[in-house]
Every structure is written in structure tokens, then in C-alpha cells.
Amino acid sequence: IQSFSKQLCSNDSDSLIFAKVFESPEYNSEVEDLLQKMLCLDFRKRITAKEALAHPFFDEIRSKPSQ
């Protein structure tokens, strides 16, 4: 479990633990990055809700005009 949690908190491109999950034409590295940051077991390294909402994954949503 410790090894798994270290991988979740790692910013190393070599430790992309979601690579097998996201093997598809619609793969989005931003999703993987956000998930890794959100699922980090160490609360000191985990992304905050505010940081998560500012993540590039949500850029497209933020740029749409509100209706």
C-alpha cells in the first residue's frame, strides 16, 4: 500500500499508474494528472478542492459562457 500511495503522489512521468486504465483513443493526460493529485493518500501532498477546480482539465468548462 505504501508503494501504491507513493506512486499516487509522484509527479514522475515514469510512475503513471493509470496508464493501463486510460488506454483508449479518448485518453486525456489531464484526467490522469488530476486523478493522481486527488487520490494522493498524503493529505499534505493532495490537491485541494480549489486547486482541483483550477486544474487545466476544467479549462474548457470555465471558458464556456454561462447560460
Side-chain angles (χ1 to χ4, degrees):
I1 291 176
Q2 288 176 341
S3 171
F4 178 73
S5 68
K6 285 179 184 174
Q7 283 184 336
L8 281 174
C9 297
S10 174
N11 289 331
D12 247 355
S13 59
D14 293 4
S15 66
L16 302 176
I17 64 168
F18 296 108
K20 296 249 184 231
V21 175
F22 293 108
E23 286 180 352
S24 74
E26 296 86 26
Y27 172 79
N28 184 334
S29 62
E30 290 174 353
V31 172
E32 180 180 344
D33 181 59
L34 181 58
L35 284 174
Q36 278 187 307
K37 291 175 179 177
M38 289 172 51
L39 296 175
C40 182
L41 297 178
D42 184 343
F43 71 91
R44 294 167 294 200
K45 295 180 182 179
R46 188 181 312 130
I47 193 170
T48 66
K50 188 174 185 175
E51 291 168 333
L53 291 171
H55 191 275
F57 173 73
F58 295 110
D59 285 350
E60 186 177 331
I61 296 169
R62 281 191 299 275
S63 67
K64 288 184 180 178
S66 56
Q67 304 210 10

